[in-house]
Amino acid sequence: MTYDLEEQEQLDAIKAWWAKYGNAILTLITLILLAVAAWQWWNWYQRNQAAQAAAVFEALQTATVQGQSNQVLDASARLQNDYARTVYASRGALLAAGALAEAGDTAAARQRLQWVVDQKDLLAPVARLRLAALLIDAGEAAQALALLDTTPAAGFEALYADRRGDALFALGRGNEAASAWGEAVERMGPADPLVSVVQLKIEALLPEERA
């Protein structure tokens, strides 16, 4: 009888504890299960998005090789609009910009490069350089210079200085252009194959252009 009473007391204690904390425990377990399910769904979604984006990127590559501008436009637009969070979006925009610029559609090329710049990802510095080149070619050197008025990402200092020199030269500011190109040469180092190209730019400046 003593054993039964002790057992009953234990059961009553468990019931009282469950009555007090049971709902909270069930709620916590439910939240954990929902979180796990959401995480698994998000991973599946990410993998699915990446796979679909890869297929579109492959189609974009094929279109660029074959010179199919309309398909390039469509594929790159899909990557930007539907798969912007994947690694293929910026890569596709850069690839499309090159093909479109070569085909003469500089407006579409500039749009895609600006999109990459706005994403502020690892490819943004490359997009800035290419967009600045298109702006200089279009007679918009001042806008190109403004675009380059930012701290370059590590490893891009020399290229940015070189492109600033191009913009300054286009604006008729020869002395500043020579200074920017000189900075580019210093940052590149003698082993860089681009050094000779930049030095030719400096040497090509007439004395009066440097004034």
Side-chain angles (χ1 to χ4, degrees), residues 80 84 89-90 93-94 109-129 131 143 147 150 160:
Q80 288 178 225
S90 290
L94 287 178
R110 286 168 58 169
Q111 185 276 329
R112 278 147 182 80
L113 291 172
Q114 184 62 58
W115 185 85
V116 179
V117 170
D118 294 339
Q119 299 312 297
K120 300 179 181 179
D121 61 15
L122 292 176
L123 293 177
V126 178
R128 280 183 183 274
L129 287 169
L131 180 55
Q143 188 174 342
L147 182 68
T150 183
Y160 269 55

Side-chain angles (χ1 to χ4, degrees), residues 157-163 180-199 201:
E157 295 89 351
L159 294 174
Y160 269 55
D162 177 40
R163 194 55 47 83
W181 286 331
E183 178 189 345
V185 169
E186 290 179 4
R187 290 184 176 278
M188 287 177 182
D192 195 308
L194 291 176
V195 166
S196 59
V197 176
V198 181
Q199 286 177 331
K201 295 180 185 180

Side-chain angles (χ1 to χ4, degrees), residues 1-181:
M1 188 68 177
T2 303
Y3 176 79
D4 291 340
L5 287 174
E6 290 180 354
E7 186 178 65
Q8 186 61 46
E9 288 176 353
Q10 290 176 351
L11 289 174
D12 290 341
I14 292 173
K15 289 179 180 179
W17 181 87
W18 182 257
K20 185 175 181 180
Y21 300 108
N23 289 337
I25 292 173
L26 288 176
T27 300
L28 178 61
I29 293 173
T30 301
L31 289 175
I32 292 172
L33 292 175
L34 287 174
V36 171
W39 178 251
Q40 291 177 337
W41 177 87
W42 177 248
N43 286 333
W44 170 85
Y45 176 77
Q46 292 285 77
R47 291 193 299 270
N48 186 56
Q49 285 287 97
Q52 293 181 23
V56 178
F57 183 79
E58 185 176 349
L60 173 60
Q61 287 180 306
T62 301
T64 58
V65 171
Q66 296 177 352
Q68 301 171 324
S69 295
N70 288 336
Q71 286 82 348
V72 169
L73 286 167
D74 291 342
S76 60
R78 282 192 63 193
L79 287 173
Q80 288 178 225
N81 296 329
D82 300 336
Y83 307 105
R85 291 181 175 271
T86 70
V87 296
Y88 297 99
S90 290
R91 289 173 58 191
L94 287 178
L95 180 62
L100 292 168
E102 187 175 344
D105 192 351
T106 55
R110 286 168 58 169
Q111 185 276 329
R112 278 147 182 80
L113 291 172
Q114 184 62 58
W115 185 85
V116 179
V117 170
D118 294 339
Q119 299 312 297
K120 300 179 181 179
D121 61 15
L122 292 176
L123 293 177
V126 178
R128 280 183 183 274
L129 287 169
R130 296 184 183 180
L131 180 55
L134 290 181
L135 290 169
I136 293 169
D137 290 342
E140 302 176 42
Q143 188 174 342
L145 197 59
L147 182 68
L148 297 169
D149 185 21
T150 183
T151 302
F156 285 86
E157 295 89 351
L159 294 174
Y160 269 55
D162 177 40
R163 194 55 47 83
R164 281 199 305 273
D166 296 342
L168 289 164
F169 177 74
L171 291 169
R173 295 156 61 177
N175 190 53
E176 294 176 76
S179 178
W181 286 331

